[in-house]
Amino acid sequence: MKKAIKKVLCGILAAAITVGGFAACGGGDKEVDESKTQLYVGVVDSGYGRTWLEEGIRRFETENAGTSFETGKTGVQVFIDSVNYGNTIAATLKGIRTEVIYSEDLNYYDLVNGGYLYDMTTTVKEKLTAFGENESIESKMSDSTKELFDFNGKYYALPFVSNSFGIIYDRDMFENEGWFFLSDGTPEKHAKYNSAIGYSFGPNGIVGDYDDGLPATFDQFFALCNKIAKSGKLPITWAGKYPTYVNYFLYNVWANGEGFDNMKMNYTFSGKSKDLVESVDENGNITFMPETEITEDNGYLLNRQKGKYDALDFLYRIVKNGFTNNNYYDENQTFNENVGHRDAQDAYLLSGVEASKTPIAMMIEGTHWENEATDTFTRIAARFGSEYSKENRRFGVMPIPHATEEQIGQKPLFCDSSSALTFINGNIAENKVNVATEFVKFMHTDKSLSEFNRITSLCSAFDYEITESDYNAMSYFGKSVYEHYKHSELFIAKSKNPLYLKNYSTFSPLSLAIWQSNISGNPNKPVSEFRKGTTAVSYFNGISGYYSETFWNKSIKK
C-alpha cells in the first residue's frame, strides 16, 4: 500500500528556505509522495528558461518509476527551486534543500576550496553504460576543459551552458536584400547574392560550409554595413541600457583575433607573446614589441595584445560610422539608458515585420537571446502570421570577422561568457547522493544534451551529436549556433594559476575591469566613450596606461 501523500504548499516552503532558494512546486501543485524519493534541483533564472529542465525531469521520473533510490521507496519526484547567481550562492548552500544546482557566474575554485561542492569524480568518470552509452561524462569534455575542471585529480563540478556574445543577423532579410558576398565563381547560382560587395568564403576561408557569403574581414563587414545603410535600412542595434553587453561582444572579438593559445596567456601568465603593441599612432600604424616571455611579473603587458586593439578599433568604426558617415543604428536605442536587452530584442524582431519600423539587419547579443525572446516571437506570430514564429523566422550567428586577410582560416573561438556550472550541493544528505548522481549522469547523456540544445538553441560544453529528430525540430538560429559551436574551439576563461585565482573578478570576461582605461568619463565602457569622440587608439593607450607595472604590483600581485 502507498504511504501517505502530503500536499506541499509553496508559500510555506519558501518561508522556510533562505534567500538563496525559492521553492517552486515543480509541475505546479505537485504533491510529495512519501513512497518515492524526492530530488530538489536548483536553476538560476536566466535566458535559457526551464523548459529543458522540466522535459529532462519528466523523462527521468518516467524512466525511474520502478527504481529504488532509498530503502523502502520506489520511484522519484523532482522539484525545481530558483537559486542565486554568482558566488553569493555559497552562503546559502547549507540552508537550502536544493541538491543538484545549475547556476552562472561562479568561481569554481573558490567554491571547491570553501568545501561547498560534493566530490563528483566517480560520477564524471564512470561510463554511462546504464544509459546505453559506452563513454563517460569526462570523455565528452575537451582536453582543455578537463584540465580546468580536474581539481587535484577530482571533479567537483561540470561546465554547463556555453553562452557567447556576438553578432546576430537576419538571414531572411540578408537573402531578400542580396547582402551576402558571392562564395563561388558562378553568379547565376546566386541570384540573391550581391556580387558588387565581393567574394567571401567567410572567416574560416573554407568553401561550401556554414559561413559562406558572410564577411571574412573587418573591411568586408563595413562594406556590408555601408551597403545596408545606403539601402535605407539600419545595419545594427544593441541595448543602450547595458553597454556591458557590448563589452562581452568586444571580448569575443579580442579572443578571436588572438586565437586560443594567445588568449589563454591572459589567465595562465605563461608563454611567448609575439603581437604586443609597442605603440600605435592615430592613423592605426602599429610598432610591435620584440617577442616577450610572459610571466606573473609582467602579465600586465598582455593588455597590449594586438587583438585587444583590433577589437576596440572594430567597435570604434561601428560607433563612428553610426553618427558621421552613415546611419548604422538608431541612437534612441543604442545609447538610450532606458532600452534594456528585451527592448532591443523586441525592436529587432519587429523591425523586419511592422511596416512603420525601419528594418534592422544585425544585433549585438548573446546566443541565449532567441530563447529569451520566445514570448515576443509568439506575440508577433499571433499578430502578423505564423511565418514570423520562432520556428519559421531565420536568424544566424555571424562568425567574428578578422582584422586582416592573413588571419582568414584561423580557427574561431566559441567564448563562454557565462561561467556556468552544474554541481551537487556539498551539504547533500547521504541518502540522497545516489539519486543526485544518477540525475547528473542522466542529464549528460547525448539524448539529454541534444534535447537541451533543441529547446534552448544553446550548446553545452561537451562533445555530443544532436539527434536527427532534435536537429530537424530546431529553429534556424538553433542550428546556426550548433554549427558555429561545432566548427569552433571552446574557450573557457579560467586558469588554475594562483595570480588568476586571487583576481578572479578582475579577469572574468564579465568584468568591467578588463576594459578599464585611464581616460576620463566612462573608463570601462568603450562604446560610451567612442560615442563622445574618444578614438580606439586613445582608449587602447589608456588601458595600457591603467595596467602599468606599478598598478600590477600593488593591486594584482599584492
Side-chain angles (χ1 to χ4, degrees):
M1 179 175 290
K2 261 190 176 180
K3 294 185 180 179
I5 297 177
K6 61 183 179 182
K7 185 90 166 186
V8 178
L9 300 177
C10 285
I12 295 174
L13 279 174
I17 295 175
T18 68
V19 67
F22 166 81
C25 298
D29 292 329
K30 192 171 181 176
E31 297 175 331
V32 169
D33 183 345
E34 292 185 344
S35 70
K36 299 178 180 179
T37 292
Q38 283 73 47
L39 176 67
Y40 299 97
V41 177
V43 64
V44 72
D45 291 318
S46 193
Y48 43 85
R50 292 184 174 188
T51 304
W52 63 274
L53 183 56
E54 292 165 349
E55 285 299 302
I57 287 170
R58 180 189 60 75
R59 289 190 298 107
F60 184 73
E61 289 179 336
T62 300
E63 293 180 26
N64 287 281
T67 304
S68 177
F69 291 106
E70 295 179 90
T71 303
K73 296 189 175 186
T74 302
V76 61
Q77 290 181 300
V78 185
F79 295 85
I80 301 175
D81 295 341
S82 291
V83 293
N84 284 358
Y85 284 94
N87 274 29
T88 57
I89 196 173
T92 72
L93 289 176
K94 290 185 179 180
I96 60 177
R97 67 181 185 175
T98 318
E99 292 148 341
V100 177
I101 294 170
Y102 298 88
S103 191
E104 294 181 343
D105 194 18
L106 297 167
N107 184 341
Y108 172 49
Y109 308 111
D110 274 0
L111 291 173
V112 174
N113 286 327
Y116 297 108
L117 310 182
Y118 178 79
D119 180 356
M120 295 198 300
T121 308
T122 301
T123 302
V124 175
K125 288 180 173 289
E126 280 183 347
K127 286 189 176 182
L128 301 172
T129 51
F131 305 96
E133 296 185 13
N134 193 35
E135 56 185 337
S136 65
I137 298 174
E138 182 184 47
S139 68
K140 297 184 182 187
M141 293 191 282
S142 67
D143 289 343
S144 60
T145 303
K146 282 187 282 191
E147 180 185 341
L148 292 175
F149 283 84
D150 181 328
F151 194 95
N152 296 327
K154 296 180 180 293
Y155 289 97
Y156 294 89
L158 292 165
F160 175 34
V161 61
S162 292
N163 184 26
S164 185
F165 277 75
I167 297 172
I168 313 302
Y169 73 100
D170 188 326
R171 178 93 193 182
D172 290 322
M173 192 181 298
F174 267 55
E175 286 193 1
N176 291 336
E177 299 294 334
W179 289 338
F180 286 101
F181 293 80
L182 286 173
S183 56
D184 64 23
T186 53
E188 64 272 12
K189 291 184 179 180
H190 298 268
K192 295 181 179 179
Y193 287 43
N194 195 322
S195 59
I197 300 179
Y199 290 83
S200 172
F201 302 129
N204 70 3
I206 300 172
V207 181
D209 69 356
Y210 76 109
D211 68 347
D212 284 1
L214 294 171
T217 64
F218 289 1
D219 285 346
Q220 284 192 334
F221 177 81
F222 290 106
L224 168 65
C225 287
N226 290 341
K227 189 78 177 176
I228 294 169
K230 287 176 183 177
S231 74
K233 298 172 179 62
L234 294 173
I236 199 162
T237 194
W238 61 86
K241 186 176 182 179
Y242 301 116
T244 49
Y245 269 41
V246 183
N247 280 16
Y248 305 158
F249 158 69
L250 200 59
Y251 179 90
N252 205 357
V253 181
W254 169 27
N256 271 272
E258 287 297 326
F260 191 94
D261 291 337
N262 280 2
M263 199 62 190
K264 186 178 178 181
M265 278 191 280
N266 288 276
Y267 304 93
T268 62
F269 308 108
S270 175
K272 291 184 178 180
S273 184
K274 299 179 181 179
D275 73 338
L276 299 182
V277 175
E278 177 72 47
S279 64
V280 54
D281 64 24
E282 287 299 329
N283 294 317
N285 298 310
I286 294 174
T287 301
F288 289 100
M289 295 173 60
E291 182 177 301
T292 303
E293 187 78 34
I294 296 298
T295 68
E296 291 182 14
D297 292 329
N298 66 0
Y300 59 91
L301 291 175
L302 292 168
N303 287 288
R304 294 180 175 273
Q305 283 182 323
K306 182 177 181 290
K308 199 161 193 176
Y309 168 72
D310 287 338
L312 289 164
D313 186 53
F314 186 58
L315 178 61
Y316 171 70
R317 290 171 70 179
I318 291 174
V319 175
K320 183 181 179 182
N321 275 298
F323 65 87
T324 53
N325 304 329
N326 297 290
N327 185 14
Y328 273 22
Y329 47 79
D330 180 355
E331 286 196 318
N332 292 323
Q333 292 181 26
T334 57
F335 291 98
N336 185 337
E337 293 183 355
N338 294 316
V339 176
H341 58 293
R342 292 302 310 275
D343 301 314
Q345 293 167 8
D346 290 358
Y348 182 55
L349 288 171
L350 274 170
S351 75
V353 180
E354 199 167 68
S356 62
K357 308 287 185 184
T358 302
I360 305 171
M362 295 173 283
M363 175 175 63
I364 294 174
E365 248 288 6
T367 49
H368 67 285
W369 83 278
E370 187 199 53
N371 192 70
E372 191 171 57
T374 296
D375 58 341
T376 301
F377 277 102
T378 302
R379 289 196 306 270
I380 291 175
R383 182 179 171 191
F384 294 98
S386 61
E387 64 267 34
Y388 298 107
S389 67
K390 185 168 71 173
E391 294 74 23
N392 292 327
R393 287 190 75 174
R394 297 188 301 161
F395 295 92
V397 177
M398 179 178 287
I400 301 296
H402 298 294
T404 65
E405 290 186 2
E406 289 74 21
Q407 292 172 301
I408 295 174
Q410 180 176 298
K411 193 173 182 66
L413 299 186
F414 194 98
C415 295
D416 171 42
S417 58
S418 59
S419 293
L421 300 178
T422 303
F423 62 93
I424 294 174
N425 191 338
N427 199 47
I428 189 171
E430 186 62 34
N431 65 318
K432 290 297 195 72
V433 169
N434 190 19
V435 67
T437 55
E438 284 301 301
F439 183 77
V440 169
K441 287 188 283 188
F442 179 85
M443 293 301 286
H444 286 85
T445 60
D446 282 1
K447 179 177 178 62
S448 292
L449 294 172
S450 176
E451 182 176 75
F452 174 84
N453 221 138
R454 169 177 59 80
I455 292 171
T456 65
S457 294
L458 288 161
C459 297
S460 287
F462 300 91
D463 180 19
Y464 61 97
E465 291 292 331
I466 300 288
T467 66
E468 184 177 359
S469 60
D470 279 342
Y471 188 83
N472 291 337
M474 288 167 69
S475 68
Y476 185 91
F477 180 73
K479 293 174 183 175
S480 176
V481 173
Y482 179 64
E483 292 299 323
H484 182 46
Y485 182 83
K486 275 206 316 181
H487 288 85
S488 302
E489 189 167 10
L490 177 64
F491 184 80
I492 300 176
K494 295 185 190 301
S495 167
K496 296 175 185 175
N497 177 276
L499 191 63
Y500 162 79
L501 295 177
K502 282 197 302 183
N503 297 277
Y504 165 81
S505 60
T506 298
F507 298 130
S508 167
L510 303 177
S511 173
L512 292 172
I514 60 176
W515 300 103
Q516 187 75 44
S517 176
N518 66 8
I519 60 173
S520 61
N522 294 287
N524 50 29
K525 297 173 183 174
V527 69
S528 302
E529 279 302 301
F530 294 158
R531 180 59 190 89
K532 289 163 51 181
T534 301
T535 65
V537 172
S538 296
Y539 201 100
F540 177 74
N541 288 333
I543 293 177
S544 300
Y546 181 85
Y547 281 98
S548 64
E549 182 177 8
T550 300
F551 174 84
W552 189 260
N553 289 332
K554 287 179 62 177
S555 301
I556 302 298
K557 289 194 67 182
K558 56 185 183 293

